[in-house]
Amino acid sequence: MTMAPELPWVPLLVPNMPSPQELLPWLERMHAAQHYSNFGPLVRELEVVFAQQFEMPHEHLTTVANATQGLELVLQALNLPTGAHVLVPALTFVATATAVVRAGHVPVLADVDAQTWMLTPKIARAACERMRIDAVMSVTTFGMPHDMSAWQQFERDTGLPVVIDAAAAYGSQWLQGAEGTLVFSLHTTKSLPAGEGGLVVSTRPGLAAKVRQLSNFGINLDPDVDTLVGTLAGLGTNAKMSEYHAAIGLASLEKWELHACDRREFLTGLMHDLEQASGYSLTWQAQGAGGPLMAPTLLCMRLPDAEARAALEQACQQARIMTRRWYQPLLQHMNVLQQRCLVLDTPDAQSLGQTLLGLPFFLGMTQQQRHRVLSVIAS
Ligand SMILES: Cc1ncc(COP(=O)(O)O)c(C=O)c1O
């Protein structure tokens, strides 16, 4: 008896990486220059484009090997006292908290807003009344941008530095004419993929330059300061972006806006159909005062309760549709972090942690795949 072939899984994400043909001109330039790392011509060119996009001098930004190291080095460059209390949302990717711990500090886990699913200045102000907070690291949850003027006001009122972990928000989060510090990921799954990579943007005087130095082992390259050129000015690491990754980033830049536009359109249509198929029982992340999500990279929805989520997960499993509990469990429920964090009241994050579920979202989803997802939601 012949068995029916199993249905292939509907994947959760499919990256939009440049093709080998699109990459080739950049790789040829790299090879001709014989410069493969250490702030070579392609990294510098990528940084020039970023400086144009963010409308700022290129000294105010630096590429890094990935967002995780970008976050860690920003915290190091802020020169906080060891063991500083850094407020982070309980609902985020683990790297937000590991960066704080690895920088020698203590993550203080805060709640998120029930609608935008983000740690807002209002929540941060309430946390400051409860305990000593030395810095804030908020997150652009699933790429949703923050209102930077509200965070600038928070910094001015409290004197506390604010860092935005904007890992998933390239193309959505800008400085919006305000002051601030942003850290982006250029990972394969993000809207501007470089394979691995990160970008630190900061209006804080000297911060990006310090991060750049720390990403190059901490070696001083500036002849105009007291430390000798070529000797250590700080205890850094190796978090430089290579020319190979810059080549992918530059090739991706040629298409990222088109991809972001296609993903926005696709997301709007898919959300509409999912809502209809569910009998209007789903809830979506709300846009905050920071404006709309311009470059979505994933689809995460909220089910009415934990039982509905478990049932949907099971139905998707049976229909061979991949799902993911993005940003879950909450940070305080991870053994490795438990002893290293302080936890405030997090009722909204707890509730989101029981009801959020990520579904497949990628350009090129076929009609059959889409139909399979919608049928499971409808049933
Ligand atoms: C909120 C958040 N922070 C940090 C990171 C880590 O980024 P990277 O992979 O570039 O280190 C991610 C990755 O998805 C993320 O979602």
Side-chain angles (χ1 to χ4, degrees):
M1 195 174 78
T2 54
M3 303 271 282
E6 276 194 310
L7 267 180
W9 282 87
V10 181
L12 194 65
L13 298 175
V14 178
N16 288 117
M17 291 291 275
S19 68
Q21 292 73 21
E22 288 164 339
L23 263 182
L24 196 59
W26 299 104
L27 294 177
E28 277 171 348
R29 273 186 50 186
M30 176 184 75
H31 201 61
Q34 295 188 308
H35 209 138
Y36 303 98
S37 189
N38 294 27
F39 310 116
L42 297 186
V43 160
R44 288 203 299 270
E45 188 166 331
L46 189 59
E47 289 177 348
V48 166
V49 180
F50 288 143
Q52 285 162 355
Q53 288 185 339
F54 283 88
E55 297 177 345
M56 64 195 330
H58 74 268
E59 300 80 34
H60 286 184
L61 56 83
T62 186
T63 50
V64 279
N66 53 63
T68 307
Q69 283 183 299
L71 292 167
E72 199 175 317
L73 296 184
V74 164
L75 287 170
Q76 189 179 349
L78 283 172
N79 272 326
L80 302 167
T82 306
H85 288 180
V86 182
L87 194 69
V88 302
L91 177 78
T92 181
F93 184 59
V94 290
T96 316
T98 58
V100 174
V101 176
R102 289 173 59 84
H105 306 311
V106 179
V108 177
L109 309 186
D111 206 4
V112 293
D113 177 79
Q115 269 75 46
T116 64
W117 310 348
M118 304 213 277
L119 194 178
T120 60
K122 188 174 165 205
I123 294 170
R125 280 177 209 276
C128 290
E129 282 170 15
R130 295 280 313 279
M131 69 160 73
R132 191 195 90 222
I133 299 295
D134 302 301
V136 176
M137 198 146 89
S138 195
V139 175
T140 58
T141 305
F142 308 133
M144 189 65 80
H146 279 277
D147 175 0
M148 291 309 291
S149 57
W151 280 117
Q152 176 182 300
Q153 194 57 49
F154 175 90
E155 280 194 325
R156 285 184 183 166
D157 293 346
T158 61
L160 302 180
V162 174
V163 180
I164 305 291
D165 175 350
Y170 185 85
S172 296
Q173 181 72 70
W174 303 96
L175 282 169
Q176 305 155 352
E179 286 171 9
T181 300
L182 310 171
V183 180
F184 297 96
S185 170
L186 308 182
H187 185 261
T188 306
T189 51
K190 303 296 187 288
S191 67
L192 178 68
E196 292 278 2
L199 170 67
V200 175
V201 174
S202 182
T203 56
R204 195 170 271 268
L207 189 100
K210 184 79 191 163
V211 170
R212 190 180 189 79
Q213 185 179 71
L214 289 169
S215 78
N216 186 33
F217 313 99
I219 293 172
N220 174 47
L221 296 176
D222 183 354
D224 296 332
V225 297
D226 284 345
T227 312
L228 274 179
V229 168
T231 64
L232 273 191
L235 272 183
T237 185
N238 182 0
K240 303 185 297 295
M241 178 184 275
S242 80
E243 291 287 279
Y244 287 92
H245 291 95
I248 306 173
L250 284 160
S252 285
L253 268 175
E254 292 169 358
K255 292 248 177 93
W256 81 270
E257 268 184 299
L258 185 72
H259 287 154
C261 180
D262 289 349
R263 284 212 208 91
R264 265 196 319 271
E265 244 174 57
F266 176 49
L267 186 67
T268 310
L270 189 57
M271 280 165 64
H272 172 267
D273 291 354
L274 286 167
E275 227 164 76
Q276 229 174 21
S278 74
Y280 300 93
S281 64
L282 304 173
T283 312
W284 305 101
Q285 182 181 18
Q287 174 185 321
L293 180 63
M294 296 300 283
T297 52
L298 57 81
L299 170 65
C300 191
M301 59 194 197
R302 186 175 191 176
L303 280 298
D305 52 41
E307 290 71 36
R309 179 175 75 174
L312 180 58
E313 280 175 321
Q314 207 185 2
C316 285
Q317 174 85 15
Q318 274 160 8
R320 297 173 72 82
I321 296 166
M322 285 191 177
T323 60
R324 180 79 54 85
R325 294 186 179 185
W326 292 115
Y327 293 177
Q328 295 156 76
L330 300 185
L331 297 180
Q332 61 260 44
H333 301 313
M334 302 211 192
N335 285 342
V336 170
L337 289 174
Q338 246 158 18
Q339 267 102 54
R340 295 178 164 94
C341 294
L342 297 170
V343 191
L344 294 166
D345 287 341
T346 59
D348 288 316
Q350 301 269 8
S351 163
L352 287 162
Q354 296 184 345
T355 50
L356 291 186
L357 190 65
L359 281 189
F361 173 68
F362 52 90
L363 291 182
M365 185 185 277
T366 64
Q367 277 309 323
Q368 287 101 317
Q369 288 173 323
R370 187 180 177 130
H371 188 249
R372 198 160 7 135
V373 173
L374 291 172
S375 318
V376 167
I377 295 283
S379 66

